[in-house]
Amino acid sequence: MDAPSPRVHVDAAAPPGGSETRPARSHVVIIGAGFGGLEAAKALRGAPVDVTVIDRLNHHCFQPLLYQVATAALSPADIAWPIRSILSRQPNARVVMADVTAIDTAAKEVRTDRTAPFHYDYLVIATGATHSYFGHDDWAPYAPGLKRIEDATEIRRRLLRAFEAAEVSEDEAERRRLMNFLIVGGGPTGVELAGACAEVARYVLSRDFRRIDPRTSRILLIEAGPRILPAFPEDLARYAHRALERMGVEVLTSTAVAECDSMGVVTADGRRFEGATIVWAAGVMASPAARWLGAAHDRAGRIAVSPDLEVRRYVGRAIAARVEGRAPPGPFRYRHYGDLATIGRRAAIVSIGRFRLRGFLGWLFWSVVHIYFLIGTRHRLMVAFEWLWDYVTFQRGARLITDYMPPLPDPPPAD
């Protein structure tokens, strides 16, 4: 963040014959309305500053539950909230829906695709991360990642359409391919997706079709490293591996993807796996903020910051302290709250320091934590009810395909 340049303005209410000047309020521009951006905005609620929050979308999304939208357990409205509504009771905050295109640090301006430039005294960049295909961005159309509501609904559409297409296909090989689901990446997102896909196939859809049996679906979790969930303790990762296999998921470790196309993937050892639905959960990279600023960054695009989270300057409560003339808080220290991942019904793993849980107790703990971090009592109650209903009935109510399903391609000619 940049320190403010001094500004003054003439008070229009000053008495005739004289003028009273006072410093203008500092302007804080926050790019991104994810967890970081919103927390920074809220921390400035009572500060004598004007806050502008810029985001390309009009809603804040609770990303840890995106996989449940992708697998039809929840609807998008259950895990997303309008940004304007979240900040509606904060008089000094303004929300602008626009896409940031550049930052001019010399002029202290943020430029967007649909507004005049915003001058700032302090700039907070909280733009998060996006998918990383490790130099193979051409794979993106075949293997969508999972970072936005649009990603989740697209994966849900592909998942459900695959079963619908298999039901009407006359070609046995094509039916098998349509019912193969490939998930690349064995971190928490990949593990949770694999477990949820298995539940959809084994339980939710098991009685809905007449010509196919969804329980015969093949679900592969492909991980380049030697084990899934590398951030978790090894014993919990082994438990998750076994739990996935009991659910019918094939877990392939030490298996890197070398090629990806509309029909499936090829691994580095030359094996090909056919599948109509491919999901990318193998890596992330930072937003283009480092390029906007011309700042030092690592290979993943993360900007190098000082102990107070500045790109050689400040954020949040530190900005409030500075404009109010108070002593700034001490250097930022990252507190890791732990790692959680759910594998399916009655199964999850929790690692918080030396505290470990697995199985049903882990699943209960995981559920309570995720409900707690949702925004608003209404959303907490709605998600809790949806989960209880799904648990008791084995049903998922968000199984909607909202676009036309094109005709199947003709099967390849016989040799």
Coordinates of all heavy atoms in Angstrom, one line a residue, residues 194-263:
A194 N -13.9 -36.1 -5.4 CA -14.0 -37.6 -5.7 C -15.0 -38.3 -4.9 O -15.8 -39.1 -5.3 CB -12.6 -38.2 -5.6
G195 N -14.9 -38.0 -3.6 CA -15.9 -38.6 -2.6 C -17.3 -38.2 -3.0 O -18.2 -39.0 -2.9
A196 N -17.5 -36.9 -3.3 CA -18.9 -36.5 -3.6 C -19.4 -37.1 -4.9 O -20.6 -37.5 -5.0 CB -18.9 -34.9 -3.7
C197 N -18.5 -37.2 -5.9 CA -18.9 -37.8 -7.2 C -19.3 -39.3 -6.9 O -20.3 -39.8 -7.5 CB -17.8 -37.8 -8.2 SG -17.6 -36.1 -8.9
A198 N -18.6 -40.0 -6.1 CA -18.9 -41.4 -5.8 C -20.3 -41.5 -5.1 O -21.1 -42.4 -5.4 CB -17.8 -42.0 -4.9
E199 N -20.6 -40.5 -4.2 CA -21.9 -40.6 -3.6 C -23.0 -40.3 -4.5 O -24.1 -41.0 -4.5 CB -21.9 -39.5 -2.4 CG -21.1 -39.9 -1.2 CD -21.3 -39.0 -0.1 OE1 -21.8 -37.8 -0.3 OE2 -21.0 -39.3 1.1
V200 N -22.8 -39.4 -5.5 CA -23.8 -39.1 -6.5 C -24.1 -40.3 -7.3 O -25.2 -40.7 -7.6 CB -23.4 -37.9 -7.4 CG1 -24.3 -37.8 -8.6 CG2 -23.4 -36.6 -6.6
A201 N -23.0 -41.0 -7.7 CA -23.2 -42.2 -8.6 C -23.8 -43.4 -7.8 O -24.6 -44.1 -8.3 CB -21.9 -42.5 -9.2
R202 N -23.3 -43.6 -6.6 CA -23.6 -44.8 -5.9 C -25.0 -44.7 -5.2 O -25.7 -45.7 -5.0 CB -22.6 -45.2 -4.8 CG -21.1 -45.3 -5.3 CD -20.9 -46.5 -6.3 NE -19.5 -46.6 -6.6 CZ -18.9 -46.1 -7.7 NH1 -19.6 -45.5 -8.6 NH2 -17.6 -46.3 -7.9
Y203 N -25.3 -43.5 -4.7 CA -26.6 -43.4 -4.0 C -27.6 -42.5 -4.6 O -28.8 -42.9 -4.8 CB -26.2 -42.8 -2.6 CG -25.2 -43.6 -1.8 CD1 -24.0 -43.1 -1.5 CD2 -25.5 -44.9 -1.3 CE1 -23.0 -43.8 -0.8 CE2 -24.6 -45.6 -0.6 CZ -23.3 -45.1 -0.4 OH -22.4 -45.9 0.3
V204 N -27.2 -41.2 -4.9 CA -28.2 -40.2 -5.4 C -28.9 -40.7 -6.6 O -30.1 -40.5 -6.8 CB -27.5 -38.9 -5.5 CG1 -28.5 -37.8 -6.0 CG2 -26.9 -38.4 -4.2
L205 N -28.1 -41.1 -7.6 CA -28.7 -41.4 -9.0 C -29.0 -42.9 -9.2 O -29.4 -43.3 -10.3 CB -27.8 -40.9 -10.1 CG -27.4 -39.5 -10.1 CD1 -26.5 -39.1 -11.2 CD2 -28.7 -38.6 -10.2
S206 N -28.8 -43.7 -8.2 CA -28.8 -45.2 -8.4 C -30.1 -45.7 -8.9 O -30.1 -46.7 -9.6 CB -28.4 -45.9 -7.0 OG -29.4 -45.6 -6.0
R207 N -31.2 -45.0 -8.6 CA -32.5 -45.5 -9.0 C -33.2 -44.7 -10.1 O -34.4 -44.9 -10.4 CB -33.5 -45.7 -7.8 CG -33.0 -46.7 -6.8 CD -34.0 -46.8 -5.6 NE -34.0 -45.6 -4.9 CZ -34.7 -45.4 -3.8 NH1 -35.6 -46.3 -3.4 NH2 -34.7 -44.2 -3.1
D208 N -32.5 -43.7 -10.6 CA -33.1 -42.7 -11.5 C -33.1 -43.1 -12.9 O -33.9 -42.5 -13.7 CB -32.4 -41.3 -11.3 CG -32.8 -40.7 -10.0 OD1 -33.4 -41.3 -9.2 OD2 -32.4 -39.5 -9.8
F209 N -32.3 -44.0 -13.4 CA -32.1 -44.4 -14.8 C -32.6 -45.8 -15.0 O -32.7 -46.6 -14.1 CB -30.7 -44.2 -15.2 CG -30.2 -42.7 -15.2 CD1 -29.7 -42.2 -14.0 CD2 -30.4 -41.9 -16.3 CE1 -29.2 -40.9 -14.0 CE2 -30.0 -40.6 -16.3 CZ -29.4 -40.1 -15.1
R210 N -32.9 -46.1 -16.3 CA -33.5 -47.4 -16.7 C -32.5 -48.2 -17.5 O -32.4 -49.4 -17.4 CB -34.8 -47.2 -17.4 CG -35.9 -46.5 -16.6 CD -36.3 -47.4 -15.4 NE -37.2 -46.7 -14.5 CZ -36.8 -46.0 -13.4 NH1 -35.6 -46.0 -13.0 NH2 -37.7 -45.5 -12.6
R211 N -31.7 -47.5 -18.3 CA -30.8 -48.3 -19.2 C -29.4 -48.3 -18.7 O -28.6 -49.1 -19.2 CB -30.8 -47.6 -20.6 CG -32.2 -47.6 -21.3 CD -32.1 -47.1 -22.7 NE -31.3 -47.9 -23.6 CZ -30.8 -47.6 -24.8 NH1 -31.1 -46.3 -25.2 NH2 -30.1 -48.4 -25.5
I212 N -29.0 -47.5 -17.8 CA -27.7 -47.5 -17.2 C -27.8 -47.7 -15.7 O -28.8 -47.4 -15.1 CB -26.9 -46.2 -17.5 CG1 -27.6 -45.0 -16.9 CG2 -26.7 -46.0 -19.0 CD1 -26.8 -43.7 -17.0
D213 N -26.7 -48.1 -15.1 CA -26.6 -48.2 -13.6 C -25.5 -47.3 -13.2 O -24.3 -47.6 -13.4 CB -26.3 -49.6 -13.2 CG -26.3 -49.8 -11.7 OD1 -26.4 -48.8 -11.0 OD2 -26.1 -51.0 -11.2
P214 N -25.8 -46.1 -12.7 CA -24.8 -45.1 -12.3 C -23.8 -45.7 -11.3 O -22.7 -45.2 -11.2 CB -25.6 -44.0 -11.6 CG -27.0 -44.1 -12.3 CD -27.2 -45.6 -12.5
R215 N -24.2 -46.8 -10.6 CA -23.2 -47.4 -9.6 C -22.0 -48.0 -10.3 O -21.0 -48.3 -9.6 CB -24.0 -48.4 -8.7 CG -25.0 -47.8 -7.8 CD -25.8 -48.8 -7.1 NE -26.6 -49.6 -8.1 CZ -27.5 -50.6 -7.8 NH1 -27.7 -50.9 -6.5 NH2 -28.2 -51.2 -8.7
T216 N -22.1 -48.2 -11.6 CA -21.0 -48.8 -12.3 C -20.0 -47.7 -12.8 O -19.1 -48.1 -13.5 CB -21.5 -49.7 -13.5 OG1 -22.2 -48.8 -14.4 CG2 -22.4 -50.8 -13.0
S217 N -20.3 -46.5 -12.5 CA -19.4 -45.4 -12.9 C -18.0 -45.7 -12.4 O -17.7 -46.2 -11.3 CB -19.9 -44.1 -12.4 OG -21.2 -43.8 -12.9
R218 N -17.0 -45.2 -13.2 CA -15.6 -45.3 -12.8 C -15.1 -43.9 -12.4 O -15.1 -43.0 -13.2 CB -14.8 -45.9 -13.9 CG -13.3 -46.2 -13.5 CD -12.5 -46.6 -14.7 NE -11.2 -47.1 -14.3 CZ -10.2 -47.3 -15.2 NH1 -10.4 -47.2 -16.5 NH2 -9.0 -47.7 -14.8
I219 N -14.6 -43.7 -11.2 CA -14.2 -42.4 -10.7 C -12.7 -42.6 -10.4 O -12.3 -43.4 -9.5 CB -15.0 -42.0 -9.5 CG1 -16.5 -41.8 -9.9 CG2 -14.5 -40.6 -9.0 CD1 -17.4 -41.8 -8.7
L220 N -11.9 -41.8 -11.1 CA -10.4 -41.8 -10.9 C -9.9 -40.5 -10.2 O -10.3 -39.4 -10.7 CB -9.7 -42.1 -12.2 CG -9.7 -43.5 -12.7 CD1 -11.0 -43.8 -13.4 CD2 -8.5 -43.6 -13.7
L221 N -9.1 -40.6 -9.2 CA -8.4 -39.5 -8.6 C -7.0 -39.6 -8.9 O -6.3 -40.6 -8.5 CB -8.7 -39.5 -7.1 CG -8.0 -38.3 -6.3 CD1 -8.5 -37.0 -6.8 CD2 -8.2 -38.5 -4.8
I222 N -6.4 -38.7 -9.7 CA -5.1 -38.8 -10.3 C -4.2 -37.8 -9.6 O -4.4 -36.6 -9.7 CB -5.1 -38.6 -11.8 CG1 -6.0 -39.6 -12.5 CG2 -3.7 -38.8 -12.4 CD1 -6.3 -39.3 -13.9
E223 N -3.1 -38.3 -8.9 CA -2.2 -37.4 -8.1 C -0.8 -37.6 -8.6 O -0.3 -38.7 -8.6 CB -2.4 -37.6 -6.6 CG -1.3 -37.1 -5.8 CD -1.1 -35.6 -5.9 OE1 -2.1 -34.9 -6.1 OE2 0.0 -35.1 -5.8
A224 N -0.1 -36.5 -8.9 CA 1.3 -36.6 -9.4 C 2.2 -37.0 -8.2 O 3.3 -37.7 -8.5 CB 1.7 -35.3 -10.0
G225 N 1.9 -36.6 -7.0 CA 2.8 -36.9 -5.9 C 2.7 -38.3 -5.4 O 1.8 -39.1 -5.8
P226 N 3.5 -38.7 -4.4 CA 3.5 -40.1 -3.9 C 2.3 -40.4 -3.0 O 2.0 -41.6 -2.8 CB 4.8 -40.2 -3.1 CG 5.1 -38.7 -2.7 CD 4.6 -37.9 -3.8
R227 N 1.6 -39.4 -2.6 CA 0.4 -39.6 -1.8 C -0.6 -38.5 -1.9 O -0.2 -37.4 -2.3 CB 0.7 -39.9 -0.3 CG 1.2 -38.7 0.5 CD 1.5 -39.1 1.9 NE 2.1 -38.0 2.7 CZ 1.4 -37.2 3.5 NH1 0.0 -37.3 3.5 NH2 2.0 -36.3 4.2
I228 N -1.9 -38.7 -1.6 CA -2.9 -37.7 -1.6 C -2.7 -36.9 -0.3 O -2.1 -37.3 0.6 CB -4.3 -38.2 -1.8 CG1 -4.7 -39.1 -0.6 CG2 -4.4 -39.0 -3.1 CD1 -6.1 -39.6 -0.6
L229 N -3.3 -35.7 -0.3 CA -3.3 -34.8 0.8 C -2.0 -34.6 1.5 O -1.8 -34.9 2.7 CB -4.3 -35.4 1.9 CG -5.8 -35.5 1.4 CD1 -6.6 -36.3 2.4 CD2 -6.4 -34.1 1.2
P230 N -1.0 -34.1 0.7 CA 0.4 -34.0 1.3 C 0.5 -33.0 2.4 O 1.4 -33.1 3.2 CB 1.2 -33.5 0.1 CG 0.2 -32.9 -0.9 CD -1.1 -33.7 -0.7
A231 N -0.5 -32.1 2.6 CA -0.4 -31.2 3.7 C -0.9 -31.8 5.0 O -0.7 -31.2 6.1 CB -1.3 -29.9 3.4
F232 N -1.5 -32.9 5.0 CA -2.0 -33.6 6.2 C -1.0 -34.6 6.7 O -0.1 -35.1 6.0 CB -3.3 -34.4 5.8 CG -4.5 -33.5 5.7 CD1 -4.8 -32.8 4.5 CD2 -5.5 -33.4 6.7 CE1 -5.9 -32.0 4.4 CE2 -6.6 -32.6 6.6 CZ -6.8 -31.9 5.4
P233 N -1.1 -34.9 8.0 CA -0.3 -36.0 8.5 C -0.5 -37.3 7.7 O -1.6 -37.5 7.3 CB -0.7 -36.1 10.0 CG -1.3 -34.8 10.3 CD -1.9 -34.3 9.0
E234 N 0.6 -38.1 7.7 CA 0.5 -39.3 6.8 C -0.6 -40.3 7.2 O -1.2 -40.9 6.4 CB 1.9 -39.9 6.7 CG 2.0 -41.0 5.7 CD 3.4 -41.4 5.4 OE1 4.3 -40.8 5.9 OE2 3.6 -42.4 4.7
D235 N -0.8 -40.4 8.5 CA -1.8 -41.4 8.9 C -3.2 -40.9 8.5 O -4.0 -41.8 8.1 CB -1.8 -41.6 10.5 CG -2.0 -40.3 11.2 OD1 -1.6 -39.2 10.8 OD2 -2.7 -40.4 12.3
L236 N -3.5 -39.6 8.5 CA -4.8 -39.2 8.1 C -4.9 -39.3 6.6 O -6.0 -39.6 6.1 CB -5.0 -37.7 8.5 CG -5.2 -37.5 10.0 CD1 -5.4 -36.0 10.3 CD2 -6.3 -38.3 10.6
A237 N -3.9 -39.0 5.9 CA -3.9 -39.2 4.4 C -4.1 -40.7 4.0 O -4.9 -40.9 3.1 CB -2.6 -38.7 3.8
R238 N -3.5 -41.6 4.8 CA -3.8 -43.0 4.5 C -5.2 -43.4 4.8 O -5.8 -44.1 4.0 CB -2.8 -43.9 5.3 CG -1.4 -43.9 4.9 CD -0.7 -45.1 5.5 NE -0.7 -45.1 6.9 CZ 0.2 -44.5 7.7 NH1 1.2 -43.9 7.1 NH2 0.1 -44.5 9.0
Y239 N -5.8 -42.8 5.8 CA -7.2 -43.1 6.1 C -8.1 -42.6 5.0 O -9.0 -43.3 4.6 CB -7.6 -42.4 7.4 CG -9.1 -42.4 7.7 CD1 -9.7 -43.5 8.2 CD2 -9.8 -41.3 7.3 CE1 -11.1 -43.5 8.4 CE2 -11.2 -41.2 7.5 CZ -11.8 -42.4 8.1 OH -13.2 -42.4 8.2
A240 N -7.8 -41.4 4.5 CA -8.6 -40.8 3.4 C -8.5 -41.7 2.2 O -9.5 -41.9 1.4 CB -8.2 -39.4 3.1
H241 N -7.3 -42.2 1.9 CA -7.0 -43.0 0.7 C -7.9 -44.3 0.8 O -8.6 -44.7 -0.1 CB -5.5 -43.4 0.7 CG -5.1 -44.1 -0.6 ND1 -4.0 -43.7 -1.3 CD2 -5.7 -45.1 -1.3 CE1 -3.9 -44.5 -2.4 NE2 -4.9 -45.3 -2.4
R242 N -7.9 -44.9 2.0 CA -8.6 -46.2 2.2 C -10.1 -45.9 2.1 O -10.9 -46.7 1.5 CB -8.3 -46.8 3.5 CG -6.9 -47.4 3.6 CD -6.7 -48.3 4.8 NE -7.0 -47.5 6.0 CZ -6.1 -46.9 6.8 NH1 -4.8 -46.9 6.4 NH2 -6.4 -46.3 7.9
A243 N -10.6 -44.8 2.7 CA -12.0 -44.4 2.6 C -12.5 -44.2 1.2 O -13.6 -44.6 0.8 CB -12.2 -43.2 3.5
L244 N -11.7 -43.5 0.4 CA -12.1 -43.3 -1.0 C -12.2 -44.6 -1.7 O -13.1 -44.9 -2.5 CB -11.0 -42.4 -1.7 CG -11.1 -40.9 -1.3 CD1 -9.9 -40.2 -1.9 CD2 -12.4 -40.3 -1.8
E245 N -11.2 -45.5 -1.5 CA -11.3 -46.8 -2.2 C -12.5 -47.6 -1.8 O -13.1 -48.3 -2.6 CB -10.0 -47.6 -1.9 CG -8.8 -46.9 -2.6 CD -7.5 -47.7 -2.5 OE1 -7.3 -48.4 -1.4 OE2 -6.6 -47.7 -3.4
R246 N -12.9 -47.5 -0.5 CA -14.1 -48.2 0.0 C -15.3 -47.7 -0.7 O -16.3 -48.4 -0.9 CB -14.2 -48.1 1.5 CG -13.3 -49.0 2.3 CD -13.7 -49.1 3.7 NE -13.8 -47.8 4.4 CZ -12.7 -47.3 5.1 NH1 -11.6 -48.0 5.2 NH2 -12.8 -46.1 5.7
M247 N -15.3 -46.4 -1.1 CA -16.4 -45.8 -1.8 C -16.4 -46.1 -3.3 O -17.3 -45.7 -4.1 CB -16.4 -44.3 -1.6 CG -16.5 -43.9 -0.2 SD -16.3 -42.1 0.0 CE -17.8 -41.5 -0.8
G248 N -15.3 -46.8 -3.8 CA -15.3 -47.2 -5.2 C -14.4 -46.2 -6.0 O -14.4 -46.4 -7.3
V249 N -13.7 -45.3 -5.4 CA -12.8 -44.4 -6.2 C -11.5 -45.1 -6.4 O -10.9 -45.6 -5.5 CB -12.6 -43.1 -5.4 CG1 -11.6 -42.1 -6.1 CG2 -14.0 -42.4 -5.2
E250 N -11.0 -45.0 -7.6 CA -9.6 -45.5 -7.9 C -8.6 -44.3 -7.7 O -8.7 -43.3 -8.3 CB -9.5 -46.0 -9.4 CG -10.4 -47.1 -9.7 CD -10.3 -47.5 -11.1 OE1 -9.2 -47.6 -11.7 OE2 -11.4 -47.8 -11.8
V251 N -7.7 -44.5 -6.8 CA -6.7 -43.5 -6.4 C -5.4 -43.9 -7.1 O -4.8 -44.9 -6.8 CB -6.6 -43.4 -4.9 CG1 -5.6 -42.3 -4.6 CG2 -7.9 -43.1 -4.3
L252 N -4.9 -43.0 -8.0 CA -3.7 -43.2 -8.7 C -2.7 -42.2 -8.2 O -2.8 -41.0 -8.5 CB -3.8 -43.1 -10.2 CG -4.9 -44.0 -10.8 CD1 -5.0 -43.7 -12.3 CD2 -4.6 -45.5 -10.6
T253 N -1.6 -42.6 -7.4 CA -0.6 -41.7 -7.0 C 0.6 -41.9 -7.8 O 0.8 -42.8 -8.6 CB -0.3 -42.0 -5.5 OG1 0.1 -43.3 -5.3 CG2 -1.5 -41.6 -4.6
S254 N 1.6 -40.9 -7.7 CA 2.8 -40.9 -8.5 C 2.4 -41.0 -10.0 O 3.1 -41.7 -10.8 CB 3.7 -42.1 -8.1 OG 4.1 -42.0 -6.8
T255 N 1.4 -40.4 -10.4 CA 0.8 -40.4 -11.8 C 0.6 -39.0 -12.2 O -0.4 -38.4 -11.9 CB -0.5 -41.2 -11.8 OG1 -0.2 -42.5 -11.3 CG2 -0.9 -41.4 -13.3
A256 N 1.5 -38.5 -13.0 CA 1.4 -37.1 -13.6 C 0.6 -37.1 -14.9 O 0.8 -38.0 -15.7 CB 2.7 -36.5 -13.7
V257 N -0.2 -36.1 -15.1 CA -0.9 -36.0 -16.4 C 0.0 -35.2 -17.4 O 0.5 -34.2 -17.1 CB -2.2 -35.2 -16.2 CG1 -2.8 -34.8 -17.5 CG2 -3.2 -36.0 -15.4
A258 N 0.2 -35.9 -18.6 CA 1.0 -35.3 -19.6 C 0.3 -34.7 -20.7 O 0.7 -33.8 -21.4 CB 2.0 -36.4 -20.1
E259 N -1.0 -35.2 -21.0 CA -1.8 -34.7 -22.1 C -3.3 -34.7 -21.6 O -3.7 -35.5 -20.8 CB -1.7 -35.5 -23.3 CG -0.3 -35.5 -23.9 CD -0.2 -36.5 -25.2 OE1 -1.3 -36.6 -25.8 OE2 0.8 -37.0 -25.4
C260 N -4.0 -33.8 -22.1 CA -5.5 -33.7 -21.8 C -6.2 -33.2 -23.0 O -5.8 -32.2 -23.7 CB -5.6 -32.7 -20.6 SG -7.4 -32.5 -20.1
D261 N -7.3 -33.9 -23.3 CA -8.2 -33.5 -24.5 C -9.6 -33.7 -24.1 O -9.9 -34.1 -23.0 CB -7.7 -34.2 -25.8 CG -7.7 -35.7 -25.6 OD1 -8.7 -36.2 -25.1 OD2 -6.8 -36.3 -26.1
S262 N -10.5 -33.6 -25.1 CA -11.9 -33.7 -24.8 C -12.3 -35.1 -24.5 O -13.4 -35.3 -24.0 CB -12.7 -33.2 -26.0 OG -12.4 -33.9 -27.2
M263 N -11.5 -36.1 -24.8 CA -11.9 -37.5 -24.6 C -11.2 -38.1 -23.4 O -11.6 -39.2 -23.0 CB -11.5 -38.3 -25.9 CG -12.1 -37.8 -27.2 SD -13.9 -37.9 -27.2 CE -14.1 -39.7 -27.4

